[in-house]
């Protein structure tokens, strides 16, 4: 049977009005960096330069932290809680109104398919602000005492895989609890954070409550080590997370870290195979596998291994890779040349260590950063591709015979962010969930998120929770 051909269905870029250059957002205004430094952000799908963005240095970090402190002391901490809530509701509504623009901009700067930015990222961003707006004047019912207090100024550093969503996970609870923030987006994806700064202006948020500093790792380091902040929230690699934990250890800063993962997605012989295959695909190929909780280790019960693998390969042959702005695209671009190099390197290690590599026939665009959906079979627990976070569209397949063996293999990792279980038996789901050392266990589904549900890790996946009642604790003096 020939492959069904789709006509191109690109979403229009016209809704986005990109500026040639962007300043830092400090005290409610866009301003150049003190030393005039700037960098360019590109579209990973085409390598086209999208805009030039200011690079914050230590003097800018000082300025932003001072603005956040002033706003905390004079405005935000003395504002009645229900007024804080109103600002958050207003921001949430503006995000909904501007959702198409934000989705197109996110896909341009990050490379993710418009279907995902439009249907997953941006709706969750709005949901996060709505959810936390509701908490602002109800904190005494959150279980942290009768009048829980804010911490003060939060320094927040986020990665490039879900740029605006990670911003929402950081800023919404911080503001709802009465803190002010200085946030640094990732170097490769600053544009939706800068549009969020415009949204703060549009919502008449008091100056200094939210400050956005664009820059690279040095800017992040200057922010988290600044003596003027009370709280550090970081999402990113385990390596940088450990460095931040060391940097903050001698201080009184409260720290939460959300780091890497190597999640097991476990398929039992009684699972509905077609449904499980959809879950496997969603688990590792959603967002090109740039997901900290991605189901990157597939554990299949030996008795159904051939059947699951054949179905998976059939399904992968139907995935469409290409233009992120095309509404029919399933797999977009890899976010950067550096990330592509890392995915290539680990995939070559997988082959060299003896695993078998397979990808569906798939034409890669000439320009930009691309990697085909890839499956490794014959993987053993000792292989690096079974142990290390690849953070790309690469799945390692292992097998097991008994539930106890599945638990042992799933937990055999320094990480513990998430896991998936596919089975027809409710009792087995509960048996597995109580033994898997992971912050989230999905049953007969994968990669499902909700602002009311806490998210976070065991072991080297970090500490602290984001979302839900539990996530408020990170921003309260309790
Ligand atoms: P990083 O941990 O370096 O980046 C995360 C954020 O931290 C970025 O904003 C980054 O800035 C900033 N940063 C970098 N160094 C420091 C520092 N010393 N102090 C404070 N902030 C800092 O991840 P990478 O983007 O380099 O990705 C590397 C690997 O990390 C990936 O291949 C993937 O395996 C993993 N990763 C995991 C994520 C997760 O959610 N679990 C998210 C992102 C990456 P900038 O980007 O500007 O350099």
């Amino acid at each position: 049977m020939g492959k069904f051909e789709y006509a191109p269905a690109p979403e229009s870029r016209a809704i986005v009005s990109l500026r040639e250059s962007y300043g830092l957002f400090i005290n409610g205004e866009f301003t150049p960096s003190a030393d005039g430094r700037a960098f360019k952000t590109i579209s990973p799908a085409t390598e086209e330069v999208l805009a030039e963005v200011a690079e914050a240095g230590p003097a800018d970090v000082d300025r932003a932290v001072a603005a956040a402190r002033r706003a905390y002391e004079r405005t935000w901490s003395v504002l009645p809680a229900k007024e804080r809530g109103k600002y958050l509701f207003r921001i949430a509504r503006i995000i909904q109104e501007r959702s198409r623009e934000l989705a197109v901009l996110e896909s341009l700067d990050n490379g993710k398919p418009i279907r995902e930015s439009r249907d997953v990222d941006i709706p969750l961003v709005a949901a996060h602000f709505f959810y936390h707006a509701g908490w602002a004047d109800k904190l005494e019912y959150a279980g942290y005492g009768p009048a829980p207090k804010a911490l003060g100024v939060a320094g927040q550093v986020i990665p490039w895989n879900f740029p605006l969503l990670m911003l929402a996970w950081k800023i919404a609870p911080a503001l709802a609890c009465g803190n002010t923030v200085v946030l640094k987006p990732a170097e490769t994806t600053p544009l939706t954070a800068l549009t969020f700064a415009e949204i703060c202006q549009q919502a008449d948020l008091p100056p200094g409550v939210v400050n956005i500093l664009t820059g690279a790792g040095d800017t992040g380091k200057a922010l988290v080590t600044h003596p003027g902040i009370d709280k550090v929230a970081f999402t990113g690699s385990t390596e940088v997370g450990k460095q931040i934990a060391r940097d903050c250890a001698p201080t009184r800063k409260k720290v939460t870290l959300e780091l890497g993962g190597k999640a097991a997605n476990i398929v039992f012989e009684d699972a509905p195979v077609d449904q499980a295959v959809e879950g496997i695909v969603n688990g590792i190929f959603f967002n090109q596998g740039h997901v900290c909780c991605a189901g990157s280790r597939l554990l299949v019960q030996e008795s159904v291994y051939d059947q699951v693998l054949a179905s998976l390969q059939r399904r992968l042959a139907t995935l469409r890779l290409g233009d992120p702005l095309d509404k029919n695209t399933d797999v977009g671009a890899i976010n950067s040349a550096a990330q592509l190099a890392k995915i290539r390197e680990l995939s070559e290690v997988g082959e060299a260590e003896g695993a078998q590599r397979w990808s569906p026939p798939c034409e890669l665009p000439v320009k930009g950063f691309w990697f085909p959906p890839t499956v490794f079979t014959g993987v053993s627990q000792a292989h690096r591709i079974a142990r290390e976070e690849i953070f790309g569209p690469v799945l390692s397949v292992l097998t097991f015979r008994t539930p106890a063996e599945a638990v042992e293999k799933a937990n055999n990792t320094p990480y513990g962010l998430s896991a998936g279980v596919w089975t027809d038996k409710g009792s087995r789901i509960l048996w597995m969930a109580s033994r898997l050392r992971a912050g989230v266990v999905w049953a007969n589904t994968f990669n499902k998120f909700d602002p009311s549900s806490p998210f976070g890790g065991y072991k080297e996946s970090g500490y602290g929770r984001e979302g839900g009642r539990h996530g408020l604790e990170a921003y309260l003096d309790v």
Side-chain angles (χ1 to χ4, degrees):
M1 197 176 74
K3 197 166 165 180
F4 197 120
E5 282 307 326
Y6 291 75
E11 177 76 44
S12 165
R13 282 175 62 156
I15 194 157
V16 170
S17 46
L18 277 172
R19 292 192 227 157
E20 229 167 80
S21 66
Y22 289 82
L24 310 169
F25 186 65
I26 299 177
N27 205 31
E29 286 173 0
F30 286 95
T31 124
S33 55
D35 57 10
R37 280 164 63 152
F39 61 96
K40 291 183 169 53
T41 184
I42 63 169
S43 150
T46 59
E47 298 173 60
E48 161 203 355
V49 173
L50 296 172
E52 195 175 83
V53 178
E55 182 177 342
D60 305 304
V61 176
D62 279 344
R63 248 191 324 149
V65 172
R69 175 65 57 194
R70 259 195 322 275
Y72 176 70
E73 283 171 2
R74 297 187 193 163
T75 320
W76 204 240
S77 68
V78 290
L79 202 64
K82 72 171 191 305
E83 297 302 319
R84 285 205 312 269
K86 280 188 201 166
Y87 281 111
L88 291 173
F89 276 121
R90 204 180 290 167
I91 289 171
R93 281 195 301 270
I94 299 173
I95 288 166
Q96 282 187 318
E97 281 162 21
R98 297 179 67 170
S99 60
R100 204 153 74 85
E101 173 195 356
L102 290 168
V104 171
L105 188 57
E106 197 76 304
S107 284
L108 273 174
D109 205 15
N110 168 281
K112 64 174 71 203
I114 186 75
R115 208 160 50 80
E116 294 179 6
S117 49
R118 184 194 63 197
D119 298 346
V120 183
D121 293 54
I122 308 303
L124 278 172
V125 171
H128 234 77
F129 277 96
F130 277 117
Y131 175 80
H132 286 96
W135 268 122
D137 61 353
K138 301 175 196 69
L139 294 173
E140 67 261 42
Y141 304 108
Y144 300 109
K149 287 204 170 44
L151 291 164
V153 177
Q156 309 178 313
V157 177
I158 56 171
W160 42 263
N161 53 343
F162 294 93
L164 195 61
L165 184 56
M166 289 301 103
L167 174 149
W169 280 31
K170 297 281 178 284
I171 292 185
L175 264 46
C177 292
N179 306 273
T180 58
V181 306
V182 181
L183 175 133
K184 191 200 89 69
E187 183 182 8
T188 57
T189 53
L191 295 179
T192 46
L194 292 164
T195 305
F196 180 81
E198 290 174 10
I199 290 174
C200 293
Q201 289 179 324
Q202 204 182 334
D204 273 330
L205 189 72
V209 173
V210 167
N211 303 276
I212 309 280
L213 294 182
T214 42
D218 286 345
T219 308
K221 191 168 174 72
L223 176 58
V224 300
T225 54
H226 197 284
I229 59 171
D230 305 289
K231 154 83 189 167
V232 171
F234 171 78
T235 298
S237 63
T238 295
E239 189 191 343
V240 174
K242 285 181 179 174
Q243 181 60 48
I244 291 175
R246 278 193 291 270
D247 289 341
C248 294
T251 74
R252 53 169 184 79
K253 289 172 195 165
K254 191 163 174 171
V255 181
T256 42
L257 302 173
E258 202 264 271
L259 311 175
K262 192 75 190 176
N265 203 359
I266 307 163
V267 179
F268 284 95
E269 61 190 1
D270 63 344
V273 169
D274 288 345
Q275 199 183 324
V277 164
E278 286 308 309
I280 297 164
V281 172
N282 175 35
I284 184 65
F285 301 113
F286 171 64
N287 204 33
Q288 294 72 248
H290 300 328
V291 184
C292 47
C293 52
S296 52
R297 282 185 300 150
L298 175 63
L299 301 184
V300 189
Q301 198 155 19
E302 227 172 63
S303 47
V304 288
Y305 173 79
D306 290 339
Q307 188 191 354
V308 169
L309 200 72
S311 291
L312 179 64
Q313 290 181 329
R314 257 198 319 274
R315 178 67 180 87
L316 292 184
T318 69
L319 288 182
R320 301 172 56 81
L321 176 147
D323 180 7
L325 287 183
D326 192 310
K327 291 171 214 127
N328 292 320
T329 292
D330 300 303
V331 181
I334 299 303
N335 181 250
S336 65
Q339 189 58 28
L340 179 59
K342 184 184 163 193
I343 298 168
R344 283 188 176 146
E345 185 203 325
L346 272 166
S347 299
E348 277 155 26
V349 168
E351 273 182 297
E353 288 185 330
Q356 287 85 55
R357 177 178 182 162
W358 179 89
S359 289
C362 174
E363 211 174 298
L364 301 183
V366 183
K367 275 267 179 129
F369 316 127
W370 304 91
F371 199 85
T374 298
V375 176
F376 276 99
T377 52
V379 179
S380 88
Q381 294 190 82
H383 287 163
R384 277 181 65 191
I385 54 168
R387 291 186 284 122
E388 294 179 28
E389 184 176 50
I390 300 174
F391 224 61
V394 181
L395 179 68
S396 298
V397 188
L398 298 94
T399 59
F400 66 92
R401 289 183 192 156
T402 64
E405 189 187 342
V407 169
E408 198 182 306
K409 285 189 168 165
N411 288 341
N412 183 14
T413 167
Y415 297 113
L417 205 47
S418 66
V421 180
W422 297 84
T423 171
D424 208 24
K425 289 191 186 61
S427 57
R428 178 173 289 155
I429 290 171
L430 298 175
W431 190 91
M432 292 292 293
S434 65
R435 285 163 179 78
L436 291 169
R437 310 227 342 117
V440 182
V441 179
W442 284 295
N444 294 327
T445 188
F446 209 92
N447 273 342
K448 281 273 183 286
F449 301 95
D450 188 279
S452 64
S453 175
F455 184 87
Y458 279 49
K459 301 190 275 185
E460 290 189 25
S461 290
Y463 43 77
R465 294 292 177 266
E466 295 188 287
R469 187 184 68 78
H470 303 76
L472 300 172
E473 185 185 343
Y475 291 97
L476 292 171
D477 188 11
V478 290

